[in-house]
Amino acid sequence: MNIYVKSGLREVINANGKMTILGASAVSESVVKSVGSALRNFVVIEELMDHAGRVIAQKTGAEDGCPTCGAASGLVIATAACIAGCNLGLIGRIPDTGGLKNEIILQKGQSINFGGSITQMLRLGGGIPVEAGCSNKVERDNIESAINEKTAALLYVKSHHAVQKGMQSIESMLELARKYHLPFIIDAAAEEDLCKYVSMGADLVLYSGGKALSGPTSGLIAGKSSYIAACKMQYKGVGRAMKVSKEAMMGLVTALEMYDPAQSNPEGQKKRMQLMCDELAQVKGLKCRVAQDEAGREIYRAEIHVGPETGMNAAKLNELLKQGDPAIYVRDYYVNQGILSIDPRPLFDGQEEIIIDRIKSCLLEG
Ligand SMILES: *Cc1c(COP(=O)(O)O)cnc(C)c1O
């Protein structure tokens, strides 16, 4: 019995993904061991931070790295670093940045809510968010005309939450950043490729440690040495409110060392989800197919279309699944179109059957 169930909390079957609302990742035994050993001992935190930075650099191909307690704090710290640099006087003023270069430009279709809003994180770091263009269309000129003497950085948000069309590309944003000598930040929180955005030339790239990496609650920033030095300095300022624990740093380091995106096993995912689809397709009113992630990541989910012949709509089914015990959380971004999806990555062996049985009984009892 897991510790949550022992505490009287409901068991959760996570068919949704690496969700903060469900505790993000269930980590490997080696990450658990690192965290345990880290908790039992002392260390010079500055040296640990530099060590974590070196491992981040090695795994991302960046010059240096800075651990964070998540990608959200990565946004705060990267923003503060671009505004205050290593100047302790300015660092102490964050988030009050009147009179400083403090505007952070992002595309309107990327001004998302990931559970918290991107622009709030920028403001927490002392930034003034400037949303360029419209939510479904951003021209290069929209970005260029937003740049002025107060601009501190350009930000690109690589995420399935963002509008996937009509935006300026990373290359185009990077070219503008270079033209105007501005730092370029990429939020790649849930991305699987740790090297791509660094190698494209971004100055700071931030990731979540609890998503693709399957680490503990943590995050990282990879980037150019001078900017990373400024990121680390923010822990003497606004970063103190989001300090990274020694156990998070060691858990992150172990997760990084073990990380191998090739192990995501797309063929295995497809096979496992096809089996689920075959069973669910036999239920009257359900259609099911294996579909690749809408943002093009190597994730293959079972996409369930809940038709009217089931006598129930997708939203109601979703609620019933969540309310049961064990609670079943499926992916529901397209619930208003009658679609629920099963994400294979966080599923433990054998949980497919429990999900299928519950869907069937929910529809029967409807
Ligand atoms: C999840 C997410 C974040 C926040 O990451 P945490 O590690 O939970 O703080 C930030 N940006 C994007 C695009 C995300 O998907």
Side-chain angles (χ1 to χ4, degrees):
M1 205 190 268
N2 82 45
I3 191 165
Y4 303 117
V5 176
K6 270 187 213 155
S7 308
L9 300 165
R10 282 187 302 157
E11 186 186 346
V12 170
I13 293 182
N14 181 359
N16 187 322
K18 309 290 176 69
M19 301 291 293
T20 288
I21 58 159
L22 298 178
S25 282
V27 307
S28 69
E29 206 45 52
S30 23
V31 170
V32 171
K33 276 199 189 124
S34 301
V35 168
S37 171
L39 277 168
R40 278 190 288 271
N41 293 283
F42 297 104
V43 64
V44 177
I45 289 292
E46 225 169 77
E47 292 175 9
L48 172 56
M49 190 160 284
D50 288 341
H51 169 65
R54 282 190 294 273
V55 176
I56 292 167
Q58 195 193 345
K59 288 302 261 187
T60 59
E63 290 174 15
D64 201 359
C66 172
T68 64
C69 63
S73 43
L75 283 164
V76 179
I77 284 168
T79 300
C82 289
I83 295 170
C86 291
N87 181 324
L88 284 173
L90 299 181
I91 286 170
R93 275 178 53 188
I94 300 279
D96 300 326
T97 53
L100 301 175
K101 278 176 184 252
N102 59 4
E103 294 183 0
I104 312 285
I105 299 172
L106 73 165
Q107 309 187 66
K108 196 159 198 167
Q110 297 183 352
S111 180
I112 58 168
N113 183 305
F114 53 80
S117 93
I118 293 264
T119 55
Q120 183 173 29
M121 303 309 144
L122 303 182
R123 284 185 282 120
L124 195 53
I128 308 286
V130 176
E131 295 175 356
C134 296
S135 59
N136 64 339
K137 185 74 192 158
V138 181
E139 306 285 0
R140 189 179 186 278
D141 287 348
N142 293 134
I143 314 268
E144 193 155 18
S145 62
I147 296 174
N148 64 48
E149 68 286 347
K150 300 222 56 177
T151 306
L154 301 190
L155 168 68
Y156 186 98
V157 181
K158 177 79 179 106
S159 168
H160 61 280
H161 296 300
V163 176
Q164 302 294 320
K165 60 180 167 84
M167 299 295 116
Q168 289 297 304
S169 65
I170 292 176
E171 288 85 352
S172 157
M173 293 286 280
L174 181 64
E175 195 233 310
L176 282 171
R178 290 291 165 267
K179 180 170 168 190
Y180 292 95
H181 307 288
L182 293 166
F184 184 42
I185 306 167
I186 298 183
D187 176 356
E191 292 299 301
E192 288 165 351
D193 191 328
L194 297 183
C195 300
K196 182 172 173 185
Y197 307 104
V198 167
S199 74
M200 287 177 90
D203 297 295
L204 293 171
V205 187
L206 43 105
Y207 290 88
S208 180
K211 293 182 179 168
L213 277 168
S214 295
T217 304
S218 61
L220 64 91
I221 308 175
K224 308 257 163 75
S225 303
S226 58
Y227 290 112
I228 291 293
C231 286
K232 289 179 183 171
M233 284 294 271
Q234 306 309 311
Y235 285 109
K236 297 186 192 303
V238 71
R240 179 55 195 255
M242 44 199 88
K243 90 175 158 188
V244 205
S245 64
K246 59 189 177 184
E247 64 272 20
M249 283 194 255
M250 279 321 299
L252 174 69
V253 163
T254 302
L256 275 168
E257 284 168 341
M258 297 186 34
Y259 183 58
D260 177 8
Q263 274 181 359
S264 75
N265 186 11
E267 288 315 311
Q269 289 182 23
K270 284 184 213 168
K271 225 164 126 187
R272 197 173 172 201
M273 291 300 98
Q274 189 57 52
L275 284 172
M276 276 195 89
C277 280
D278 293 346
E279 283 207 47
L280 286 169
Q282 289 170 21
V283 179
K284 189 164 157 253
L286 292 185
K287 286 205 187 76
C288 194
R289 67 175 189 119
V290 178
Q292 188 174 2
D293 177 58
E294 64 274 43
R297 292 173 296 176
E298 282 281 2
I299 306 167
Y300 296 88
R301 305 188 179 91
E303 192 179 275
I304 307 166
H305 297 247
V306 184
E309 310 83 50
T310 57
M312 189 182 286
N313 65 28
K316 177 84 195 298
L317 177 59
N318 190 35
E319 276 315 304
L320 289 174
L321 291 172
K322 280 187 198 174
Q323 282 161 11
D325 192 359
I328 297 176
Y329 279 74
V330 301
R331 200 173 155 91
D332 59 3
Y333 294 151
Y334 300 104
V335 68
N336 60 351
Q337 296 169 35
I339 298 173
L340 298 173
S341 297
I342 308 289
D343 192 311
R345 296 168 302 159
L347 276 189
F348 298 161
D349 283 340
Q351 292 183 328
E352 296 95 319
E353 284 308 320
I354 305 177
I355 297 174
I356 291 169
D357 289 348
R358 268 283 282 294
I359 290 178
K360 284 181 182 163
S361 65
C362 286
L363 292 179
L364 270 179
E365 290 157 22

